[in-house]
Amino acid sequence: MKIIDGKTLAQNLRKKIANQVKQYSRPPGLAVILVGDDEASQLYVRNKTRACVEVGFYSDQIHKSSNITEEELLSEVNRLNENQNIDGILVQLPLPLHIDSNKIIEAIIPEKDVDGFSSENVGKLSQNKSFISPCTPKGVMKMLDSIKCDLRGKDCVIIGASNIVGRPMAMELLNAGATVQVCHKGTKEITHKTKSADVIIAAAGVANLVKSDWIKEGVILIDVGINRQADGSMTGDVDFEDVNGIASAITPVPGGVGPMTIAVLLENTLIAYEAKL
Ligand code: GUN
């Protein structure tokens, strides 16, 4: 079973970006807005900020209290929309329940929407003419490419239909010529579907959900899950030990999709920056 090393792939992408940045007089700038004190979100934002600094970007981290009003957050986004030193704006999700996330996402101008979550960028991706597309699915495509997986005609099953992963993942795979099924909480006989898949993207957020009796011999397993265990350790949505020897390739957790997501965020920021040159 081949282990797809996301850590090394991400490192290589970051090196390429850092070299590109050296030729510009003004550094690309990324603003990350974090609202509240969710521990996982704080960790993700810290990692994103660190990665920015490492490749020579300008990084602006904005931390707001969880009782910020929707109006205040909107004016923060508008301020960043107009800031010429900021090329990318990311609002870490989830937001507190009293704030309409959709309204905040749509307030970010599409040119600076480095998450690719705005309806304009989602629309472009779904028409296969993407400008900036969501980081995790784009990172997954790079991982599949790294093992020379030709997706044309492949049967792909996605577990999870979120706006952040499942839905844009379906569009990326469809654009690459695959046949795609998106499974979710209401899906009947899910193992029937996963058992005939050539590629499975597990993004359900359920620890060790995908087991040996869910898959066929030779399947490629992409594990997007990050689940914290009672002992503090991290595990994916795939039961790694159980599928070992049956799958042909797998992305590990940690060290798989996670680092790629961050590297692609930097790449998206560079794309946004270069579009303005
Ligand atoms: N929360 C979990 N994943 C993401 C992501 O890719 N972008 C943002 N903005 N929030 C997230």
Side-chain angles (χ1 to χ4, degrees):
M1 188 168 72
K2 187 179 171 57
I3 310 291
I4 307 174
D5 181 358
K7 209 169 154 183
T8 303
L9 286 172
Q11 222 162 35
N12 291 340
L13 181 54
R14 288 204 306 267
K15 266 186 216 151
K16 217 173 94 187
I17 294 166
N19 278 330
Q20 188 77 4
V21 168
K22 279 185 197 141
Q23 58 173 327
Y24 301 130
S25 53
R26 176 180 76 80
L30 174 66
V32 178
I33 304 179
L34 171 66
V35 180
D37 300 310
D38 179 70
E39 261 182 49
S41 288
Q42 280 180 326
L43 176 66
Y44 297 150
V45 166
R46 254 201 318 276
N47 288 340
K48 287 169 184 176
T49 305
R50 190 183 308 143
C52 266
V53 174
E54 214 181 273
V55 295
F57 284 9
Y58 165 64
S59 160
D60 190 3
Q61 196 182 317
I62 298 147
H63 193 175
K64 296 288 180 188
S65 141
S66 58
N67 58 22
I68 188 173
T69 65
E70 190 175 274
E71 205 174 330
E72 285 167 334
L73 191 54
L74 282 172
S75 72
E76 194 65 45
V77 168
N78 285 330
R79 189 178 63 79
L80 294 165
N81 279 338
E82 283 158 26
N83 184 336
Q84 295 305 309
N85 291 319
I86 295 297
D87 305 282
I89 303 168
L90 180 147
V91 179
Q92 186 65 29
L93 302 173
L95 288 169
L97 292 173
H98 68 274
I99 294 172
D100 182 349
S101 303
N102 210 33
K103 217 163 157 182
I104 305 297
I105 288 166
E106 294 300 332
I108 301 169
I109 56 171
E111 292 81 0
K112 295 193 180 188
D113 166 35
V114 286
D115 261 327
F117 292 165
S118 68
S119 50
E120 183 170 318
N121 285 323
V122 171
K124 282 183 174 159
L125 173 64
S126 73
Q127 293 179 335
N128 199 8
K129 48 188 185 197
S130 80
F131 165 54
I132 287 175
S133 54
C135 304
T136 300
K138 192 170 161 189
V140 169
M141 296 306 282
K142 287 178 189 289
M143 297 178 97
L144 290 170
D145 193 52
S146 79
I147 56 164
K148 303 198 166 32
C149 173
D150 181 358
L151 286 158
R152 284 174 300 178
K154 289 273 184 344
D155 288 320
C156 298
V157 169
I158 301 166
I159 309 172
S162 71
N163 288 337
I164 295 178
V165 182
R167 288 163 194 261
M169 190 75 250
M171 287 304 149
E172 291 279 10
L173 293 168
L174 185 61
N175 291 344
T179 303
V180 185
Q181 277 186 300
V182 183
C183 301
H184 46 81
K185 287 193 183 79
T187 299
K188 290 180 293 180
E189 298 184 53
I190 189 162
T191 57
H192 181 75
K193 294 165 176 67
T194 54
K195 261 185 205 163
S196 67
D198 301 311
V199 179
I200 298 173
I201 317 283
V206 178
N208 302 320
L209 177 71
V210 178
K211 302 206 183 276
S212 54
D213 57 350
W214 280 51
I215 61 174
K216 74 174 180 188
E217 181 103 32
V219 67
I220 296 169
L221 295 173
I222 304 291
D223 193 347
V224 184
I226 304 176
N227 308 292
R228 196 176 281 280
Q229 306 279 74
D231 66 357
S233 67
M234 217 71 99
T235 188
D237 286 1
V238 178
D239 189 333
F240 190 96
E241 296 308 326
D242 201 43
V243 301
N244 201 352
I246 304 169
S248 64
I250 190 168
T251 65
V253 177
V257 175
M260 283 305 285
T261 294
I262 295 183
V264 170
L265 171 66
L266 301 175
E267 185 180 63
N268 280 354
T269 305
L270 188 62
I271 291 170
Y273 173 93
E274 288 179 337
K276 287 201 296 193
L277 291 178

